[in-house]
Amino acid sequence: MTARDEGQLLRADVELCFPSPTNPRKSFPEAELQELAESIKQLGVMQPILVRPLPAEIKERFGAAAKAELEIIAGERRWRASCLAGLRSVPILLRHLDDKTVICMQVVENLQRQDLNAIDEAEGFGQLQAQGMSAQDIATQVGKSKAYIYAKLKLLALCEEGRAALREKKITESVALLIARVPVADLQREALAEVTELDYDGEPMSYRAAARYIQRDFTHRLERAPFDLFDKTLNPAGTNCNDCPNRLGNQPDTAEELADVCTDNACYRAKVEAHKAALQTRAAAEGRETISGAAAKKIRPYPTSSCQEGYVALDERCYELEGYPKYRELFAQVLASQVPVTLLDHPDGESLEEIVVKADLSKALRDLGVELITRSNDSLALRKKEEEAAEAENRFRRRLFNEIRSQPVLMLTTPDLLGLATFGLERLYEEYRYLVAQTWYPECKKKEALERLHERLPNMADVELMAVLRDIVLAQDVKSISWMGTSQPTRLLAAAERIGIDPERVRKDQQREDAGTTVIYRNPNAPDSEWNGKGKKPLWVEAWESTGKSIDELAVEISTKQPANKKKGKK
């Protein structure tokens, strides 16, 4: 091939072509290649393969065959399929191109693919960056935003296992970006294992759940850090948090609200431990008692739980007094000598915590006329009774909710309804979102139901969007939680009243269903003629009510339980 062949449509032996090492596309599924090979056998190669003279450096570095003279710039899949089809030559378009142009053309060409893998695209952008192109240059060249390029380049921080999981679609690109922000490969593997583990529904962790998990276990809000962010002595490397490259605010195109987030869990934990050690040294010098290890966990089982074993933390609120003051405010009213302060060093805590014996504080406050009330724990029997009552209440609420849903709804404009429905659904707590979604798709698992509902929203008729809005408003009243008290389902009750549904009748229906009974109405003049109370009223019911009599006079309660099979035994 000579310079005179530049831009010419030629034919070349398949043995002369060599795959480009910079091609972003790395995977070529065998079944798809075989399918293309069959097509090529019938119709030939309909689009020429773009090539350039094979650079000597690539030929030497990648061990190309002695006959190889051409580097495939675009069309490697066609070339591979042609080899499978048994072709000896393929149509080519010869161009003389430099390395930067080759990589740019390959990335742009691969962007047109529908099945483009995000990690392959990221590696292509990485190659352009290695050629000296900035993120803005790449964005201009491929017609994407700078934020899009940064997000793809961030995927290159993924460990090999993370890249493989993304290629195999075990994780989504959005979840992969969350993992890529974790700076240490071992921690990335730990996060990857957790987010890909299937739950009891056989589904991996959702994006929202993964974001919460990684934020909780692998990132830290610096405004909540217990140590001084500018204290260089806490880190052996002498780096302060504000200037650290692992602070999101020091990374390109980070949202303002995420600027003060640390992504280096190992460094953060080391600073926490150094901070705690400094506090322990100071406490020992002052002669203050410190409780740590198993004893600390016994007092506070979890970092977020209240103190037990008769202690209270000074930074906890006192719910026995009006206004819920902190115990520290109460402690300030008594003599320090009356109530000794102990330091609690919880194994999972980030700082030492000041605690006092509640009885000591109560006694000191009592002398000042302040009485603390200690709440006794409910007995197991009482708690079980409350839970059973809550479950019965839930069944009634669900039944009332379903009856309200069965009534026709009235009208708003379609864009407004769609916006309201989308907005409302996204802002529901996860449990209620799933409840609404499974009301529309009861046959689906919760995550699939939610995805299908989101997909369906833009195509819904106005009356369906109004029904979704109604469900969003009412869903939060469908579940009663025993430990949160006996709040009334005010939205459900108000909706039932507007529509004309009697909640007490619904409650009785649910109680009968729980007891295995139901009510039917019998014709007084023809006992074999019955009505279950649903659907259109029979003529004999209308005739009965026309005389001013109540249909309840015809009600008969019957059992819906199947008779138990008698067990056969020896006589």
Side-chain angles (χ1 to χ4, degrees):
M1 306 288 176
T2 65
R4 288 181 299 175
D5 297 323
E6 170 77 18
Q8 296 295 314
L9 185 60
L10 309 167
R11 291 195 71 86
D13 290 348
V14 292
E15 295 177 349
L16 295 178
C17 300
F18 184 74
S20 174
T22 57
N23 184 6
R25 185 170 191 165
K26 305 297 181 186
S27 56
F28 299 90
E30 187 65 31
E32 294 179 12
L33 277 181
Q34 194 61 52
E35 185 178 338
L36 181 58
E38 292 300 321
S39 173
I40 288 174
K41 284 180 183 178
Q42 300 295 323
L43 304 172
V45 180
M46 292 183 285
Q47 185 177 353
I49 297 168
L50 179 63
V51 298
R52 72 165 176 170
L54 181 64
E57 180 187 353
I58 292 179
K59 187 169 186 177
E60 181 179 347
R61 183 179 174 187
F62 294 94
K67 292 184 179 180
E69 296 180 4
L70 305 169
E71 179 187 1
I72 300 172
I73 308 305
E76 182 178 341
R77 182 169 173 266
R78 273 167 278 147
W79 172 74
R80 288 176 179 271
S82 298
C83 294
L84 277 178
L87 268 61
R88 299 185 64 179
S89 65
V90 288
I92 62 167
L93 184 63
L94 180 66
R95 298 281 302 277
H96 288 75
L97 306 166
D98 59 42
D99 292 344
K100 184 183 293 187
T101 305
V102 165
I103 294 171
C104 190
M105 291 177 70
Q106 288 173 331
V107 171
V108 173
E109 192 267 341
N110 272 279
L111 280 173
Q112 312 308 315
R113 288 168 40 204
Q114 290 185 353
D115 61 339
L116 180 66
N117 189 288
I119 197 66
D120 289 345
E121 185 181 5
E123 289 173 351
F125 291 152
Q127 290 169 347
L128 291 178
Q129 196 176 47
Q131 295 296 320
M133 294 179 69
S134 67
Q136 184 60 63
D137 294 338
I138 298 172
T140 303
Q141 190 71 43
V142 301
K144 299 287 184 180
S145 69
K146 188 166 69 168
Y148 179 93
I149 303 301
Y150 274 130
K152 287 294 186 289
L153 289 173
K154 189 63 184 176
L155 291 175
L156 298 179
L158 275 173
C159 60
E160 285 303 319
E161 293 83 352
R163 295 189 184 197
L166 182 56
R167 279 198 176 96
E168 295 165 13
K169 298 182 179 179
K170 291 181 179 178
I171 55 174
T172 62
E173 183 179 347
S174 54
V175 171
L177 275 171
L178 293 174
I179 297 172
R181 290 194 180 277
V182 178
V184 183
D186 286 343
L187 293 178
Q188 285 190 10
R189 295 185 189 97
E190 182 181 334
L192 178 65
E194 187 70 23
V195 301
T196 54
E197 184 176 351
L198 302 182
D199 62 14
Y200 55 86
D201 288 325
E203 300 180 32
M205 199 178 284
S206 67
Y207 168 77
R208 290 178 184 270
R212 284 196 300 269
Y213 160 68
I214 290 175
Q215 180 180 3
R216 183 188 71 236
D217 288 24
F218 297 95
T219 65
H220 305 274
R221 287 275 180 183
L222 291 175
E223 66 265 23
R224 299 174 191 163
F227 51 81
D228 181 359
L229 302 183
F230 293 90
D231 187 351
K232 294 185 178 182
T233 63
L234 296 175
N235 187 314
T239 306
N240 73 66
C241 295
N242 195 60
D243 300 328
C244 178
N246 291 317
R247 174 181 170 268
L248 288 185
N250 295 326
Q251 297 180 14
D253 275 22
T254 297
E256 185 177 349
E257 64 271 17
L258 297 176
D260 279 327
V261 171
C262 169
T263 61
D264 191 339
N265 187 59
C267 176
Y268 184 89
R269 297 310 313 172
K271 287 190 174 186
V272 165
E273 292 306 317
H275 170 69
K276 287 173 71 174
L279 292 180
Q280 288 167 344
T281 302
R282 189 184 311 158
E286 295 171 356
R288 303 174 75 180
E289 180 189 2
T290 301
I291 300 175
S292 58
K297 293 199 75 171
K298 191 174 182 182
I299 292 173
R300 191 189 282 281
Y302 306 99
T304 55
S305 62
S306 298
C307 287
Q308 299 178 13
E309 302 296 312
Y311 286 93
V312 290
L314 292 183
D315 289 324
E316 286 181 348
R317 291 196 176 276
C318 175
Y319 293 101
E320 281 80 20
L321 296 179
E322 187 177 354
Y324 307 146
K326 288 190 175 181
Y327 284 106
R328 188 175 296 281
E329 297 172 39
L330 301 175
F331 176 75
Q333 300 176 32
V334 303
L335 295 175
S337 59
Q338 291 179 288
V339 186
V341 178
T342 303
L343 295 177
L344 183 72
D345 180 12
H346 194 283
D348 300 323
E350 293 189 346
S351 187
L352 300 189
E353 191 173 18
E354 291 183 317
I355 61 174
V356 296
V357 176
K358 185 176 182 181
D360 293 343
L361 182 59
S362 299
K363 185 176 182 300
L365 288 171
R366 197 176 298 119
D367 295 338
L368 299 175
V370 179
E371 188 73 32
L372 294 187
I373 302 169
T374 304
R375 293 175 177 167
S376 60
N377 292 327
D378 295 330
S379 66
L380 291 176
L382 179 59
R383 183 164 296 182
K384 184 177 180 182
K385 187 175 180 180
E386 290 175 346
E387 289 174 353
E388 289 174 351
E391 289 174 3
E393 178 71 13
N394 288 345
R395 290 192 293 272
F396 150 66
R397 293 186 184 191
R398 183 73 190 198
R399 192 184 194 100
L400 182 58
F401 175 61
N402 288 336
E403 288 216 16
I404 293 170
R405 289 192 77 255
S406 68
Q407 303 303 310
V409 287
L410 300 174
M411 288 238 158
L412 260 182
T413 71
T414 302
D416 290 338
L417 289 170
L418 176 58
L420 285 170
T422 305
F423 177 86
L425 191 60
E426 288 176 350
R427 275 152 185 78
L428 278 178
Y429 284 119
E430 188 174 71
E431 180 178 2
Y432 298 128
R433 283 205 305 274
Y434 290 144
L435 187 152
V436 171
Q438 288 190 304
T439 299
W440 287 81
Y441 294 100
E443 74 283 0
C444 297
K445 292 180 179 178
K446 57 187 182 182
K447 293 179 184 176
E448 181 187 356
L450 186 58
E451 287 179 7
R452 291 185 64 179
L453 181 57
H454 273 299
E455 290 171 0
R456 182 175 169 183
L457 283 177
N459 302 313
M460 280 186 171
D462 288 1
V463 68
E464 289 181 305
L465 288 170
M466 292 178 71
V468 172
L469 281 171
R470 175 199 56 201
D471 295 347
I472 290 169
V473 171
L474 299 181
Q476 299 171 76
D477 268 4
V478 172
K479 188 165 185 180
S480 168
I481 302 173
S482 60
W483 53 266
M484 289 185 66
T486 55
S487 60
Q488 291 294 312
T490 52
R491 298 183 187 90
L492 276 177
L493 295 173
E497 183 179 355
R498 287 196 305 272
I499 296 171
I501 294 174
D502 181 7
E504 286 307 310
R505 190 264 305 162
V506 176
R507 186 186 292 277
K508 288 177 182 177
D509 288 346
Q510 185 61 55
Q511 289 171 345
R512 291 190 190 100
E513 184 175 305
D514 292 345
T517 63
T518 189
V519 166
I520 61 170
Y521 304 93
R522 284 190 177 145
N523 188 337
N525 300 318
D528 291 338
S529 179
E530 299 173 347
W531 180 52
N532 64 2
K534 298 177 182 178
K536 187 177 180 181
K537 294 179 180 178
L539 292 176
W540 59 266
V541 172
E542 293 180 354
W544 178 270
E545 291 182 326
S546 68
T547 63
K549 297 178 181 179
S550 171
I551 192 174
D552 290 337
E553 297 177 36
L554 305 178
V556 178
E557 191 169 302
I558 62 172
S559 174
T560 58
K561 292 181 178 178
Q562 294 292 332
N565 294 326
K566 293 183 178 179
K567 294 184 179 180
K568 294 181 180 180
K570 295 181 180 180
K571 292 183 179 179

